[in-house]
Amino acid sequence: MAIPLDLLPTTAAPSADSAVVVRSLRWHAYAAVFAAACVMTGVYWDISWHMSIGRDTFWTPAHLLIQAGGLIAGLSSGYVALTTTFLGTDAERQAAVSVWGFRAPLGAWTCVWGCVAMLTSAPFDNWWHNAYGLDVRIISPPHALLAIGIFSIVVGALLLTLAQQNRAVGADRRRLAWLLAATGGFLLMNIALFLTEYSERRMMHGATYYYVTALSFCMALSMLGRAIKLRWSATASAALFTTFMLLLMWTIELFPATPKLGPIYQHLTHMVTLSFPPLIIVPAFFIDLVMHRFEGKLGTLPLAAIIGPTFVVAFVAAQWPFASFLVRSPLARGRVFNADNYVYWMSPTYEALTKRFDPPSAWPIGAHLAIIAVIAILMSALGLVRGDWMTRVRR
Amino acid sequence: MKRVAGLAFAALVWLVASAHIGSPNVVFDGVAGPYPIRVVVRPPQVVPGLAEVIVRADAPDVQRVSIRPVFWRAGVRGAPSGDVLSPVPGQSRVYTGQLWLMAYGAYSVYVSVNGPRGSGTAIVPVSSFATGRLALPTGLGAILVVLGSLLVGGLLTIVHAAAGESLVAPGETPTAAVKRRARLVTLVAAPILALAIAGGAKWWSAEDLAYRGHLYASPKADAEFSVDAHHRTLRLTIRDTAQFHAIFSPVLPDHGKMMHLFLVGRHGAQTLVHLHPLQADSLVFTTEVPWIPAGRYLLFGDLALENGLGLTVTNSIDVPAAPGDVTPTDSDDTWDRTASLTQLAPNVVRPLAGGVFTMSWAGGETPLAARSPVDLRFVVRDTSGNIVPLHPYLGMAAHAVVVGSDGSVFVHLHPMGTFPMAAQEAFALRDRGDTNRAGRLNTALLTAGDMAAMTMPGEFSFPYEFPKAGHYRLWVQVKPGDRVLTGMFDVDVR
């Protein structure tokens, strides 16, 4: 039976003033979501650039897109803070929060903070490269700061849209909820990109992959499932995440590229993109089902106790056989499933390793999955608490 | 001169370097096809990092100079396309550019020159290792602290707003309960944030520690003597001293020798022994140590590896007294001991073999400049003042050894440059696919250095770049007659 994507009922009637504010600051929410889209596309493109071409400058298109996203979010939020503080109407000022004497929506401050964090990471990263060498890794302290800045911009976009959604009604709320689902998709993308080094295909029959997935995606999906005013909110966010990732994967790999750094072990002729995205849409769907059945009937912890194991079972059931297909099937090697996305520096020895799964750890996978389920319960509880807070954000 | 003569080599802190000790820059003099070139490669301190390359192409018809970084394992096929060098403004026929060294180990810079007479390529071996650690500049540290404080303060304020005011409907005033909750959440967030910052600092420290583990340190030669009536045998066992192992490829003969071992007298440093140990096992070498008196010596051993890497192993050893005459292991073993020292200065002349020959400095003004390419140019003459032809010694017209007064610099030079010739040959052999069935280099094709029948001009120079200002001692070895003679000079570098 097809279940239509629909809105949950409105829980509070907004005031006329706040409706005015909704309209007057709508552009800012769109700008922040656009900035998040720029940043996430830029990050994906940049990783792909490093996988394929290697050599970069400050001025690569991917870097420019990231910087543009950061600046759009930061500057637009700074503008909103200044105009709201000094030129805003009473309604606009009342729909804002105070930070160091200035007033702006909470999401604007988060975007400004993210922009400052990104700016701070730039000289730190530059020094890091000079001190420890150009890192070809994603996870390093300055990159972590950059990632936190980027994450904050996505969260800022989420909060700006959220405040608008929570104050809107009817079709307007539905539109904003979809915008929120898209922003949630960027949030999931942010997580997926940061976890790239723990998400190699060869790791997908090992415990580590499922630990990091439970730690991150389970919380995010629980949060989005509760915060977005769509009936299939987690599914919608996961579907948009999958769509963004696949669109970028299938588009960027069409462009020709040759490595500009050596040693080159893979003689590429086109851009290499990230692997097929994780099938988190499956656990997202089941999280939505659980929410439909139990939301409002169970407290946070009992609900999390159902969502956590549901997430683990659904994700393992989907990803485990899909990983077998990606690693072992020749059909997976091609532009559709992208299982032959070898970076230029991948030696033949390492390439051989990618065609089989990592050896299992000392503990049986079942024991790990039991621990992972407990972690998923805790993460889900955190996500639900966060989601609950998000439903109450008004400014 | 006395000051230099009294130089003590006591504080031996071996500074990290690549093929040599404390002298990582590579200088090459040779040809690329029909075009004579000089190449200077200044490797980065960190890997991956940018190497600076300077090429002087003296031929007037050179049209284009390009460079490619070739990693030993991947070969030319695995090298990125070449980068065209840019002419240096204000300097005729000098080109410069940068290239990325991405991996640890043996690289070669392939320098290609194009012109109307065709094109040619020269192979310049370079070692790629992390050799230093950059401290955080105070200014940058201050900026990061200010921005970090701003971020921490901002984040706590945002958390306060998120837990309080943001949850109040527009137009309503936060109640006392809301304010209390906001304060409580901020109080909880503060230590969590502090923990996160402490975790970040710990992560940074761990990364720094891991990086130090990848820093290159010269391998050590553990020395052991066995002495009897006619033997004073030195057994050297080579081992890596750093967590990162540089030796992961078999040793390759260079000029037909498995190792070029230099012992430098530690007090006064007037003694130099140049020996050629035999390879007893993959990293074990033995040699007789003739001639020299007992005492403490600095040991420097040059090795070339099959992957094209040049390494210098070091130690400080106590040589025991020899009870009787000791016969050298290799016919090319040589030594020199003198009480007199010659300060390098324009037209200074050093007598060789009791005045049968002379070696004079022809390199121009002194003191020499640090961190800039110089020609250590000498002329060997007979008693009539005529320039004498030289017999090749180990395949070269001359060999030179440079040792810094504090022991932090050691380099073995040839007229073609600062790198082992075997390293260059290893790259060329691998490019041609000259490997045996096991995939190892076909070492039978290496130049053995046996060119005794030919002669070379008695005027020669060593291209070099002193790494820093200071006092150096320079030994120059030539073979004008039937035996190897050594000229010794003290050099001031500013």
Side-chain angles (χ1 to χ4, degrees), chain A residues 15 18 21 55-56 91 93-100 103 106 109-110 112-114 116-121 123-124 127-137 139-142 144-145 167 194 258-265 267 344 347 389-390 392-395, chain B residues 45-49 69 71 73-74 77-81 83 98 100-104 107 132-137 140 143-144 147-159 161-174 181 200 203-204 207-208 211:
Chain A
S15 68
S18 66
V21 175
R55 194 188 304 182
D56 67 351
R93 274 201 288 272
Q94 285 164 6
V97 297
S98 178
V99 169
W100 296 344
R103 294 193 72 80
L106 182 67
W109 292 119
T110 314
V112 169
W113 192 92
V116 174
M118 286 175 73
L119 288 173
T120 306
S121 78
F124 187 20
W127 174 81
W128 190 271
H129 289 171
N130 290 333
Y132 301 118
L134 175 77
D135 43 359
V136 286
R137 299 173 309 153
I139 301 180
S140 69
L145 183 59
R167 294 190 306 236
F194 197 67
T258 50
K260 294 290 181 195
L261 293 178
I264 300 164
Y265 296 108
H267 294 275
Y344 71 86
S347 67
W389 168 75
M390 287 167 72
R392 291 184 289 122
V393 171
R394 291 290 183 278
R395 302 184 182 203
Chain B
Q45 191 178 247
V46 295
V47 177
F71 187 60
R73 197 190 290 275
R77 191 168 174 272
S81 54
D83 286 333
Q98 293 180 316
W100 281 100
L101 302 184
M102 297 298 293
Y104 283 71
Y107 265 90
R133 181 174 158 273
L134 191 71
L136 185 69
L140 178 61
I143 290 170
L144 289 180
L147 287 172
S149 306
L150 189 71
L151 287 172
V152 169
L155 187 58
L156 288 176
T157 315
I158 289 170
V159 166
E165 203 177 0
S166 76
L167 303 179
V168 179
E172 291 179 12
T173 309
R181 187 182 55 201
W203 180 17
W204 186 345
E207 290 280 334
D208 188 66
Y211 173 78

Side-chain angles (χ1 to χ4, degrees), chain A residues 20 47-48 61 71 113 124 159 240 242 250 255 310 349 378:
Chain A
V20 172
I47 295 172
S48 180
L71 288 176
W113 192 92
F124 187 20
L159 290 173
L240 288 166
T242 309
W250 287 328
F255 289 90
T310 302
T349 313
L378 294 174

